[in-house]
Amino acid sequence: MERPLLYLDVDGPLNPYAAKPERRPEGYATYRMKPEGWIAQHPGEPRAYVKPLRVWLNGDHGTGLRKLSERYDVVWATTWEAEANTFISPALGLPELPVVTWPSPPEAEPDGTFWKTRPLLAHAGGRPFAWVDDELSEADRAFVASHHRAPTLLRRIDPRYGLRDDDFAALEAFACRLAAPTE
């Protein structure tokens, strides 16, 4: 069986943007970044005057993701797209990772699924995968279960806390189950 993919979102799983704004979560460092997507949200404002985006990142996540990369092909599945390699990878000590490119603008889904769901299934091309994101729902789980035959793990991450030890344990366990020989 092919190695599973690990689809990784930034905002929510790695950057707990919904945490109390006046209190950085324990273990996180504050970064100030100006990705193009952030600049684009300030049309007409000179780049120099755009206040940098505050991003909280936890170095332990880099360690955990490097460990998971022994079992997974890790892929950015974020609206940061390739800029995740420019800004997030270096901060976490990650190598440059492949990136899912999204339709522009994102297409609304009539059945209540997240707009990333269909593009991720197309990207996976039938391979097993795990996906960590803060916007996953039961509708996404049902859609993936009915449209993707390979094993999957869809793990919703609370954007107030980001990835936690139990999330890393669940990702490790999923990859181990896939690698276990079947009788």
Side-chain angles (χ1 to χ4, degrees), residues 17 24 30-31 38 57 116 140 148 168 175 177 180:
Y17 67 87
R24 180 179 63 216
T30 301
Y31 295 83
W38 180 247
L57 297 172
K116 289 182 179 179
D140 299 301
H148 192 77
F168 282 98
R177 281 194 306 275

Side-chain angles (χ1 to χ4, degrees), residues 52-83:
L53 176 65
R54 184 220 58 204
V55 178
W56 285 328
L57 297 172
N58 184 330
D60 291 343
H61 289 164
T63 302
L65 291 168
R66 285 190 303 277
K67 184 174 185 228
L68 287 173
S69 72
E70 296 170 7
R71 297 187 177 275
Y72 286 95
D73 292 336
V74 183
V75 179
W76 289 120
T78 173
T79 56
W80 286 69
E81 292 189 337
E83 288 189 302

Side-chain angles (χ1 to χ4, degrees), residues 34 39 45-52:
K34 284 190 179 183
I39 299 295
E45 194 168 342
R47 176 188 279 291
Y49 294 125
V50 174
K51 184 178 175 183

